[in-house]
Amino acid sequence: MNTSTSSLRASLGLALVSLLLFGLLYTLAATGLGGLLFPQTATGSPIDRDGKVVGSALVAQPFAGERYFQPRPSAANYDLMALAGSNQARSNPDLRQRITDTRAGVAAREGIAPEAVPGDLLTQSGSGVDPHISPEGARIQIARVAKARGLSPAQVEAWVARHTEGPQFGLFGQPRVNVLELNLALDVLTTAGAATAQ
């Protein structure tokens, strides 16, 4: 057997072993272990109501109506197939104009001064589907949501506090509110209240 044939066999053998070991076995082991240790997260952290998946705790979605807290703006229009930020620099005049317009819109919707609008309600996240807003971003929406749902601001504020998550592992990031989970909890509360009143 000559050297070139021996080298070819060794190369093909290494390629086959690498493909099976890293391409198949590693992937199966990682997927299986992830599903075993983190079953909720491994399947996309779905949230279901009455046996129907209504969203994911990891993905923002738009809400229509005064009854709902609003998420951050999305450069991807909340489309999972088009995840992206705007990639516009701070010096970009289009970005500055969009922020100015968004600030005016949020201020008008919430009945507050434009300078009181928190930055997270003006800027888009890197993914375009960040499900969280800051506690300040939630607080400025309390009066509107409470009025639309026939609740007191104190009741809605208590639900915002219940749905405010601390920093990850107590160390990383800032406190945040998951908009979908908060809106779903308020839907359950107002539906139960309406049923009791009848």
Side-chain angles (χ1 to χ4, degrees):
M1 183 181 300
N2 63 29
T3 307
S4 63
T5 305
S6 177
S7 294
L8 180 62
R9 283 185 57 192
S11 297
L12 290 175
L14 179 61
L16 184 61
V17 168
S18 296
L19 183 64
L20 289 175
L21 185 63
F22 299 114
L24 180 63
L25 295 178
Y26 173 78
T27 304
L28 290 175
T31 303
L33 194 59
L36 185 66
L37 296 176
F38 310 103
Q40 179 72 5
T41 306
T43 57
S45 298
I47 298 174
D48 70 41
R49 289 293 179 267
D50 303 320
K52 179 183 174 189
V53 174
V54 295
S56 166
L58 304 175
V59 178
Q61 57 183 274
F63 287 91
E66 297 293 305
R67 302 168 41 85
Y68 293 105
F69 284 86
Q70 297 300 315
R72 292 180 71 169
S74 172
N77 200 26
Y78 306 101
D79 181 359
L80 289 177
M81 301 306 290
L83 296 181
S86 68
N87 295 328
Q88 293 175 320
R90 288 182 174 197
S91 58
N92 188 311
D94 292 340
L95 175 64
R96 287 195 296 244
Q97 186 59 53
R98 184 186 57 74
I99 288 175
T100 298
D101 294 344
T102 303
R103 178 179 281 118
V106 172
R109 182 185 73 207
E110 306 303 340
I112 61 173
E115 56 273 11
V117 178
D120 60 303
L121 295 183
L122 303 174
T123 57
Q124 301 158 336
S125 67
S127 68
V129 292
D130 185 347
H132 299 98
I133 58 175
S134 66
E136 295 77 21
R139 276 188 215 105
I140 69 159
Q141 301 184 59
I142 287 174
R144 170 182 53 82
V145 172
K147 182 179 178 185
R149 289 181 179 270
L151 299 169
S152 73
Q155 286 175 296
V156 177
E157 188 170 3
W159 280 95
V160 168
R162 283 185 195 150
H163 285 84
T164 299
E165 306 167 19
Q168 191 77 29
F169 309 117
L171 298 171
F172 305 111
Q174 300 294 319
R176 59 206 182 279
V177 178
N178 188 297
V179 176
L180 174 60
E181 291 178 347
L182 175 59
N183 283 333
L184 290 173
L186 288 170
D187 279 348
V188 170
L189 175 70
T190 50
T191 302
T196 304
Q198 291 176 352

